Amino acid sequence: MFSYRSLPEVGRWLTALPTDREEYVQAFGQRLDSTLVIEREHVVVGDLMVTVQNAWSQAEVAGEAIGTQAELGWCIAPAHKGQGYATEAVRELIVIAFDLGVRRIEAVCFADNRASWRVMDKVGLRREGYFVQESLHRDGTWHDGISYALLQQEWREGLAR
């Protein structure tokens, strides 16, 4: 994963651009419980993340919001882009997230990351927001962001059709 996540063209879209392999391995060890690897013929072609979170709620019902939401993320090695791996893997990640019992999933990206939001469109996530200059990029400029979401009920109804 470090080999493709440390590439500038990949890191451009990631929260952090890893530059030191040992630091990356140590940080990755803390994310093992939320990471899945996409492998094809014994080669890692990408990775996915699902993080179960608490939904926002008012104080009186906060206990009912625990673990009801999940954030999804993914990264595909450049050598394997455009082959449908992200779309297939994210569809399965949606199933996994809803099987974990969440009622809502979310995914976000920079608006300029066309490949990422196209995957979200393809798998049936709903675009919920377009945010103008809301994300400070490591290049020092403000970028637009896009958020997508899907309710478990919408997913189940979509599968029934």
Side-chain angles (χ1 to χ4, degrees):
M1 290 170 48
F2 178 81
S3 65
Y4 59 85
R5 281 182 162 261
S6 61
L7 297 171
E9 67 268 26
V10 174
R12 174 180 183 203
W13 307 119
L14 302 177
T15 302
L17 175 61
T19 56
D20 181 271
R21 184 176 171 77
E22 286 193 30
E23 284 178 17
Y24 178 78
V25 169
Q26 187 174 26
F28 177 74
Q30 297 169 8
R31 301 186 337 216
L32 278 176
D33 62 343
S34 63
T35 302
L36 299 167
V37 174
I38 306 167
E39 189 178 298
R40 176 140 165 63
E41 298 177 3
H42 307 292
V43 174
V44 174
V45 300
D47 60 90
L48 305 125
M49 174 270 303
V50 59
T51 305
V52 175
Q53 306 166 334
N54 301 338
W56 182 89
S57 69
Q58 293 179 311
E60 296 82 4
V61 289
E64 295 173 46
I66 295 171
T68 60
Q69 199 160 280
E71 180 183 3
L72 309 182
W74 53 89
C75 182
I76 303 295
H80 302 283
K81 285 189 174 190
Q83 298 178 46
Y85 296 129
T87 302
E88 180 181 354
V90 172
R91 276 193 184 109
E92 291 303 316
L93 192 60
I94 291 169
V95 172
I96 291 167
F98 288 140
D99 283 349
L100 290 172
V102 301
R103 59 172 295 280
R104 175 183 164 86
I105 58 171
E106 296 179 330
V108 298
C109 70
F110 288 112
D112 290 338
N113 188 350
R114 183 179 189 92
S116 192
W117 61 256
R118 287 195 54 178
V119 167
M120 294 183 229
D121 284 337
K122 287 178 189 176
V123 300
L125 273 70
R126 174 186 56 261
R127 185 180 287 195
E128 289 195 325
Y130 187 100
F131 306 97
V132 178
Q133 294 187 11
E134 56 96 30
S135 300
L136 182 59
H137 195 275
R138 73 177 55 87
D139 69 8
T141 63
W142 290 94
H143 288 238
D144 296 353
I146 301 177
S147 69
Y148 280 74
L150 184 66
L151 297 173
Q152 183 183 56
Q153 176 184 345
E154 295 170 316
W155 178 254
R156 299 290 180 223
E157 290 171 358
L159 288 178
R161 282 188 209 130

